[in-house]
Amino acid sequence: MTLKRASLRSPLGQARGLGSAKEGVHHWWAQRVTAVALVPLSIWLVATLVRLSNTGYAGFVSWFSNPIHVTVMILLLGVSFHHAQLGVQVVVEDYIPGHGPRIVVNMLVNFVCYALAALSIVSILIVAFKG
Amino acid sequence: MSTASKPTATRAIGALPGHRPMSPHVEIYRMPLAAMLSIAGHRVTGVGLVFGLLLLTWWLTAAAFGEPAYATAMAFIGSWFGTLILFGFSLAFYFHLCTGVRHLFWDAGKGFEISDTNRTNQIVIMVALALTVITWLVA
């Protein structure tokens, strides 16, 4: 911060109209909503992983022939990748200098997260319809 | 003196315009446990868990491709290296879960006192370790 001003406009006048410093409260709130949702969902995933660790392919297919299990899994995947995207975005904004690179990297993070979410959800649906 | 042993830290301070004092810098500041839990316990585990999601996606996609692909994925996960990775993910998951729940309490305005934070530090570590051990005993 420098005390020398090139303009006669006040600092407040210069800041007005530039919008908020970041993206507002939406990101923060979405991170909290997904976090709360993930508490039961992720514990369910761990229980599922433990259960399916030694049942083989047949056990996997039979577990996901239950529509409730498929639904919870899809919710978990969607919410997890959304939560991951929001979290990695903050890390990128904190550690990657420069406006341009930051936008590019965050765009890539978005693409990768939602592509993987789509892939994993389609995969579980394929298993569900097979079983 | 720290000037001789920590040249980088000295340079970091000296590089500031006008040699003004700066807030505690990670290079010279011994972080309290709560800060370590925030950086290592929450942020680093969070980034690590993104790679856990990659493994999860691989597992599910392999299942969709059919039994041979599923067997390949399970063979990797069941190997000593895969199990080690899985153990790391479980530890990271429970740490992220516990520090995350504490964050939600902080968001609600609860537990900000240093005495509270010192106590919840211990709870977070104990619960995360206990849940990891219990999970692997059951599995």
Side-chain angles (χ1 to χ4, degrees), chain B:
Chain B
M1 275 299 285
S2 61
T3 333
S5 60
K6 290 249 183 181
T8 45
T10 315
R11 209 167 36 244
I13 293 170
L16 277 176
H19 297 270
R20 286 174 303 177
M22 63 190 288
S23 60
H25 192 275
V26 285
E27 288 179 73
I28 56 169
Y29 181 56
R30 193 172 66 85
M31 287 198 291
L33 186 56
M36 286 304 293
L37 277 179
S38 176
I39 299 283
H42 200 68
R43 178 163 287 203
V44 173
T45 56
V47 173
L49 287 169
V50 176
F51 293 96
L53 282 178
L54 286 181
L55 186 66
L56 179 65
T57 304
W58 179 41
W59 186 57
L60 297 177
T61 310
F65 270 105
E67 192 162 4
Y70 184 81
T72 309
M74 282 308 271
F76 172 74
I77 294 166
S79 70
W80 70 267
F81 186 60
T83 309
L84 186 69
I85 290 177
L86 221 55
F87 181 80
F89 281 143
S90 69
L91 195 60
F93 164 70
Y94 284 125
F95 260 97
H96 195 82
L97 178 70
C98 292
T99 50
V101 168
R102 180 166 70 162
H103 264 289
L104 291 173
F105 276 99
W106 281 337
D107 290 337
K110 299 194 191 308
F112 276 130
E113 294 300 324
I114 290 181
S115 57
D116 295 337
T117 306
N118 287 338
R119 191 162 46 83
T120 52
N121 281 342
Q122 306 304 323
I123 296 174
V124 161
I125 293 171
M126 296 307 282
V127 172
L129 292 177
L131 288 174
T132 308
V133 170
I134 290 169
T135 302
W136 283 91
L137 285 179
V138 172

Side-chain angles (χ1 to χ4, degrees), chain A residues 33-100:
Chain A
V33 173
T34 52
V36 171
L38 278 173
V39 173
L41 287 173
S42 59
I43 290 172
W44 177 85
L45 174 71
V46 171
T48 300
L49 294 179
V50 168
R51 198 190 160 90
L52 295 181
S53 60
N54 49 16
T55 55
Y57 186 68
F60 184 99
V61 173
S62 118
W63 179 257
F64 287 111
S65 63
N66 182 329
I68 303 291
H69 297 167
V70 179
T71 304
V72 179
M73 192 67 183
I74 289 173
L75 285 175
L76 167 97
L77 291 166
V79 178
S80 290
F81 278 107
H82 189 193
H83 187 80
Q85 182 270 314
L86 293 166
V88 173
Q89 182 187 336
V90 175
V91 175
V92 167
E93 285 167 352
D94 279 357
Y95 301 130
I96 292 191
H99 200 55

